[in-house]
Amino acid sequence: MEILYFGVLIIAALAGGKLAEKMGLSNVVGQLLAGIIVGPAMLNWVPSLHIIHVIGEYGVLLLMLNAGLETDVKQLKQNMKAATYAAVLGVVLPLVTFPILALMFGIQLQTAIFWGIVFAATSVSITIAVLNEQGKLASTAGSVILGAAVLDDVMALLLVAGYAMFIGGSGLGPDSVMPLVAFGLGLLMRRWSGSSHFLELSNSIGKWTLFPIFFGSIGLMVSFDNFWNEALLLVILTIVAVATKYYGAGWGAQLAGIGKTDSRAIGAGMISRGEMALVIAQIGLSTKIINHMEFSSFVIVIILSTIIAPIILRPLLEQVTD
């Protein structure tokens, strides 16, 4: 039966991706929406099984490995200043804004700080897929986004580790750091003479199996059970989630001397929260920092930001220079 679920999810995600492309949207958006449609939120053809999310994580690792294989290390180093500025401001702005917002909604200070940590994280995998799709992975904006996203993830992991030290309980696990390890492995493998052939093969495998499973599995996590009761809060959180990364990372890139057009693309490229924010939110749930209702709200906002990011990023990438 599980094989059937995988088959339905893959077919739906691939079809959704193609339909999205025909509508002028990103393939990733279509695959995410397909997961929502066939998942528990709507048709309930595919349940949100643990095994699906486990296999989906392999898709994240392959996506990160391929990103490392395609990354020009020299260009990455050249843009490290801009990447650092974009990452730091892209973390600081949500880290300050979300706790203030949480306190306004009557959330306790300890939990309010955790809100900031959740939304300080960036998902590089979604953005990488869009950069690949647009052929902009090697552009200046692409290099800055990659560098900033990696630094962003490191900072997010340090933040949650530091927070866990103060509140007790477990913070980091292998799932949290493996995407960064996969990216580093890809950078090392790029020196191998057969790396281009390996990349072509791994991209083909990912495109037809692991990538649609991963993007579709995010959609499976959506639940509309408490949507209308929390609609106003979800709208506000989503707007703040998009704005804090877009302007924080964008301003950081501009401060480092990057042009406005590329800076806007960099800001948009940092909006997506995806798997890193989900991991941190899961840590919060397991350590009882947040309750199930807050976790569900976070999942919806994380997925909405993940859907919105490529919609904003795609047209901006068309304007950036290589």
Side-chain angles (χ1 to χ4, degrees):
M1 195 65 181
E2 290 176 351
I3 294 176
L4 180 61
Y5 291 145
F6 276 108
V8 172
L9 183 61
I10 290 172
I11 292 170
L14 291 173
K18 288 294 181 185
L19 183 61
E21 287 179 350
K22 288 185 178 181
M23 295 172 64
L25 300 173
S26 169
N27 182 285
V28 174
V29 172
Q31 294 191 3
L32 285 166
L33 291 175
I36 295 173
I37 293 169
V38 302
M42 296 184 71
L43 297 177
N44 201 25
W45 290 351
V46 182
S48 184
L49 298 176
H50 176 68
I51 185 64
I52 292 177
H53 295 290
V54 170
I55 300 299
E57 286 303 310
Y58 286 108
V60 176
L61 297 180
L62 186 60
L63 201 60
M64 295 297 289
L65 179 70
N66 290 354
L69 284 165
E70 293 188 74
T71 299
D72 187 333
V73 178
K74 289 183 180 178
Q75 191 169 15
L76 197 62
K77 288 179 179 178
Q78 288 173 359
N79 293 294
M80 191 48 68
K81 178 183 176 183
T84 302
Y85 278 46
V88 171
L89 280 184
V91 165
V92 169
L93 200 57
L95 194 60
V96 171
T97 305
F98 273 96
I100 294 172
L101 183 63
L103 291 172
M104 289 172 63
F105 277 94
I107 303 298
Q108 291 184 348
L109 179 60
Q110 178 176 297
T111 305
I113 294 171
F114 191 77
W115 280 36
I117 296 173
V118 170
F119 291 102
T122 287
S123 169
V124 66
S125 56
I126 307 293
T127 300
I128 284 172
V130 180
L131 287 168
N132 251 330
E133 199 178 297
Q134 298 284 91
K136 297 292 185 179
L137 197 58
S139 66
T140 298
S143 295
V144 173
I145 290 170
L146 274 173
V150 170
L151 290 172
D152 188 297
D153 281 357
V154 171
M155 285 189 285
L157 293 174
L158 291 174
L159 283 170
V160 76
Y163 189 92
M165 286 175 62
F166 285 104
I167 65 163
S170 60
L172 302 180
D175 291 346
S176 307
V177 296
M178 282 306 293
L180 297 177
V181 173
F183 179 74
L185 180 60
L187 290 175
L188 293 174
M189 287 178 65
R190 185 179 168 88
R191 299 181 180 183
W192 172 42
S193 59
S195 63
S196 59
H197 296 295
F198 179 85
L199 177 62
E200 187 177 344
L201 176 63
S202 62
N203 263 330
S204 296
I205 293 171
K207 179 181 178 181
W208 297 103
T209 56
L210 292 177
F211 298 162
I213 290 173
F214 166 59
F215 294 122
S217 70
I218 295 177
L220 297 181
M221 297 181 73
V222 173
S223 171
F224 296 130
D225 291 346
N226 202 45
F227 182 82
W228 295 113
N229 292 335
E230 299 288 333
L232 178 61
L233 175 61
L234 294 176
V235 169
I236 293 172
L237 288 177
T238 302
I239 291 171
V240 175
V242 171
T244 50
K245 279 292 183 183
Y246 179 78
Y247 289 108
W251 289 338
Q254 278 191 268
L255 284 173
I258 302 294
K260 287 186 178 180
T261 301
D262 281 12
S263 292
R264 285 196 292 267
I266 291 163
M270 299 292 286
I271 288 172
S272 173
R273 298 315 199 274
E275 72 285 345
M276 183 57 69
L278 290 171
V279 167
I280 295 173
Q282 183 62 52
I283 291 170
L285 181 64
S286 64
T287 53
K288 298 182 180 180
I289 302 167
I290 56 174
N291 57 39
H292 283 278
M293 189 177 294
E294 287 173 313
F295 177 76
S296 296
S297 297
F298 284 177
V299 169
I300 292 174
V301 174
I302 288 165
I303 291 173
L304 285 174
S305 73
T306 303
I307 291 172
I308 291 168
I311 294 174
I312 297 175
L313 178 60
R314 198 166 187 258
L316 290 173
L317 285 177
E318 293 175 357
Q319 304 171 30
V320 306
T321 56
D322 293 332

